[in-house]
Amino acid sequence: ESKERVLQLQGEKWISTMSQVVISILFVIFMVASSVTEARKCGFPAIFNFGDSNSDTGGLSAAFGQAPPPNGITFFHTPAGRFSDGRLVIDFIAKNLGLPYLSAYLDSIGSNFSSGANFATAGSTIRPQNTTRSQSGYSPISLDVQLAQYSDFKTRSINVRKKEGVFKKLLPKEEYFSEALYTFDIGQNDLTAGYKLNMTTEQVKGYIPDSVYKEGGRSFWVHNTGPLGCLPYILDPYPMSSADMDNFGCAKPFNEIAQYFNQKLKEAVVKLREELQEATIVYVDVYKVKYTLISHARKYGFEKGVIACCGKGGKYNFNNVARCGATKIVNGKKILIAKSCKAPSVRIIWDGIHYTEAANNWIFQQIVNGNFSDPPVSLKMACHDQL
């Protein structure tokens, strides 16, 4: 069989398993809030986010060291825990809801969790990896760990707020946990690594600790995964034949795997809605938005669709051993060798893996009003009693 067919078969088997994970995860988070029946508006007082580097606002940096400059140069003007030149889609979501940017759960310096917390870390997967971060590059803080962190965070927040003291004002009120918006953006890293390992549905269900059944949430905003085959960190090490490339420089086999994953994710969401009719679960097609941007870059004021802004040489300005921010010692002095391009504001891909602030802002503007959502509900209407 061709390499592409083998890849597809591996992906299909793994993704079918992962759809069961999605159902289980959203179900257990919903359970506690199902007992809350009073009507309420969509004035979300908090956000709890789970994911990978697409929504990490400082988790991996707090655990393993700061994302180096030039990350952060556009908006924060300094590294800010994000793998981008500026803000991420989750930052624009928070801003739109009138909430502060989410502090990473793992970041103990200057964090304020009164309006929620971010459990995402760069390199995270839905399924735990059987390798260390130094071996594979993937975060050990997979989704099951993030959910365990959330469970502990909720319990400790409630206990601390019952006491007087400075920390009371830095933690969310108890009712916020059922009134919050729960956002998910994870799966990309699983498609690049995890699907090669076979596990049964029952083994996957075992990831979810019993304690999660005690947690609650009614409103879910779930992003599917983007066009993997349009990212330099895939295009550079896995060269494809011309027949496997589309007209916009993206690798079709990898995009097909991402689309198949998204199909299964959407099926899981639809099934879950039938089981939990009082919950609002909004499925957001960010794949379509991102691919539209990359395939029509000039139309929307961008250039060099699949070429990274920050990097060092090569066809895609991406070098896996010298990623954005890489340095070397020359004559006893450290110099930056993987630099930012001159105008990140007109580029889509930041470092070969992630998007620029300008692209993230554009993506957010397309999804905020529900134009790419199922059901077609806007961000501010994404609560159970509005549907």
Side-chain angles (χ1 to χ4, degrees), residues 7-80:
L7 191 64
Q8 181 182 9
L9 290 173
Q10 291 175 328
E12 289 179 0
K13 185 174 183 179
W14 177 82
I15 291 168
S16 294
T17 300
M18 294 316 302
S19 67
Q20 300 299 318
V21 179
V22 174
I23 292 175
S24 299
I25 288 169
L26 295 183
F27 179 80
V28 297
I29 292 179
F30 171 79
M31 290 301 293
V32 167
S34 63
S35 63
V36 181
T37 57
E38 67 272 15
R40 58 179 173 79
K41 297 180 180 179
C42 281
F44 298 115
I47 300 172
F48 295 103
N49 181 68
F50 305 85
D52 53 30
S53 57
N54 290 305
S55 61
D56 181 4
T57 56
L60 193 79
S61 290
F64 297 104
Q66 185 63 249
N71 286 293
I73 58 170
T74 295
F75 182 79
F76 301 101
H77 308 297
T78 187

Side-chain angles (χ1 to χ4, degrees), residues 295-306:
S295 60
H296 296 81
R298 291 187 178 181
K299 176 180 178 180
Y300 298 113
F302 292 83
E303 59 185 42
K304 298 184 179 181
V306 299

Side-chain angles (χ1 to χ4, degrees), residues 108-120:
S108 60
I109 306 299
S111 292
N112 186 331
F113 300 112
S114 59
S115 297
N118 192 350
F119 300 91

Side-chain angles (χ1 to χ4, degrees), residues 216-237:
R218 279 184 175 263
S219 303
F220 302 92
W221 185 265
V222 183
H223 289 187
N224 65 12
T225 198
L228 190 64
C230 299
L231 299 176
Y233 88 117
I234 293 296
L235 293 168
D236 183 71

Side-chain angles (χ1 to χ4, degrees), residues 343-385:
S345 62
V346 294
R347 300 291 285 275
I348 297 172
I349 307 300
W350 168 240
D351 57 2
I353 307 173
H354 312 100
Y355 291 74
T356 61
E357 171 172 301
N360 285 327
N361 186 26
W362 189 90
I363 292 164
F364 172 75
Q365 296 303 327
Q366 309 313 304
I367 66 175
V368 65
N369 291 323
N371 295 330
F372 293 88
S373 296
D374 177 31
V377 57
S378 70
L379 177 66
K380 289 185 176 180
M381 300 292 282
C383 65
H384 77 281
D385 55 8

Side-chain angles (χ1 to χ4, degrees), residues 117-355:
N118 192 350
F119 300 91
T121 65
S124 286
T125 53
I126 295 173
R127 184 182 59 193
Q129 299 298 301
N130 62 352
T131 58
T132 66
R133 181 173 179 269
S134 61
Q135 290 173 320
S136 66
Y138 295 101
S139 170
I141 308 169
S142 48
L143 188 54
D144 62 317
V145 177
Q146 295 180 30
L147 291 167
Q149 291 173 339
Y150 165 77
S151 177
D152 188 58
F153 175 80
K154 178 184 177 183
T155 300
R156 296 177 68 185
S157 293
I158 293 172
N159 290 337
V160 170
R161 283 191 60 88
K162 291 178 180 178
K163 305 174 184 178
E164 294 300 324
V166 63
F167 297 108
K168 180 177 180 179
K169 295 181 179 180
L170 298 177
L171 296 169
K173 298 178 180 179
E174 183 173 357
E175 60 268 26
Y176 285 9
F177 290 95
S178 60
E179 297 173 355
L181 178 67
Y182 288 81
T183 54
F184 292 81
D185 192 333
I186 193 168
Q188 178 175 313
N189 294 316
D190 293 273
L191 296 182
T192 61
Y195 70 88
K196 295 179 181 179
L197 303 175
N198 297 320
M199 295 192 76
T200 67
T201 298
E202 291 306 313
Q203 286 175 312
V204 173
K205 287 181 179 178
Y207 296 153
I208 303 169
D210 292 338
S211 62
V212 180
Y213 279 91
K214 299 177 182 178
E215 314 309 335
R218 279 184 175 263
S219 303
F220 302 92
W221 185 265
V222 183
H223 289 187
N224 65 12
T225 198
L228 190 64
C230 299
L231 299 176
Y233 88 117
I234 293 296
L235 293 168
D236 183 71
Y238 303 110
M240 296 281 169
S241 66
S242 58
D244 287 327
M245 301 296 290
D246 66 17
N247 295 331
F248 312 106
C250 300
K252 291 188 286 187
F254 284 98
N255 278 352
E256 288 168 2
I257 288 175
Q259 289 174 304
Y260 187 77
F261 172 86
N262 292 338
Q263 175 190 331
K264 292 300 180 182
L265 174 63
K266 188 172 184 179
E267 290 173 1
V269 168
V270 171
K271 182 177 180 181
L272 193 61
R273 288 197 197 111
E274 296 173 354
E275 297 175 6
L276 306 176
Q277 296 184 15
E278 293 182 2
T280 298
I281 309 173
V282 181
Y283 172 90
V284 187
D285 190 0
V286 295
Y287 178 99
K288 186 173 183 179
V289 176
K290 290 178 177 179
Y291 189 73
T292 297
L293 177 59
I294 291 170
S295 60
H296 296 81
R298 291 187 178 181
K299 176 180 178 180
Y300 298 113
F302 292 83
E303 59 185 42
K304 298 184 179 181
V306 299
I307 310 300
C309 168
C310 183
K312 183 182 182 296
K315 181 178 180 180
Y316 301 101
N317 194 33
F318 177 83
N319 185 329
N320 196 44
V321 297
R323 294 185 179 183
C324 177
T327 60
K328 71 176 182 179
I329 303 298
V330 178
N331 298 324
K333 184 179 180 181
K334 182 186 291 186
I335 63 170
L336 181 66
I337 61 171
K339 304 177 180 179
S340 170
C341 60
K342 293 182 179 180
S345 62
V346 294
R347 300 291 285 275
I348 297 172
I349 307 300
W350 168 240
D351 57 2
I353 307 173
H354 312 100
Y355 291 74

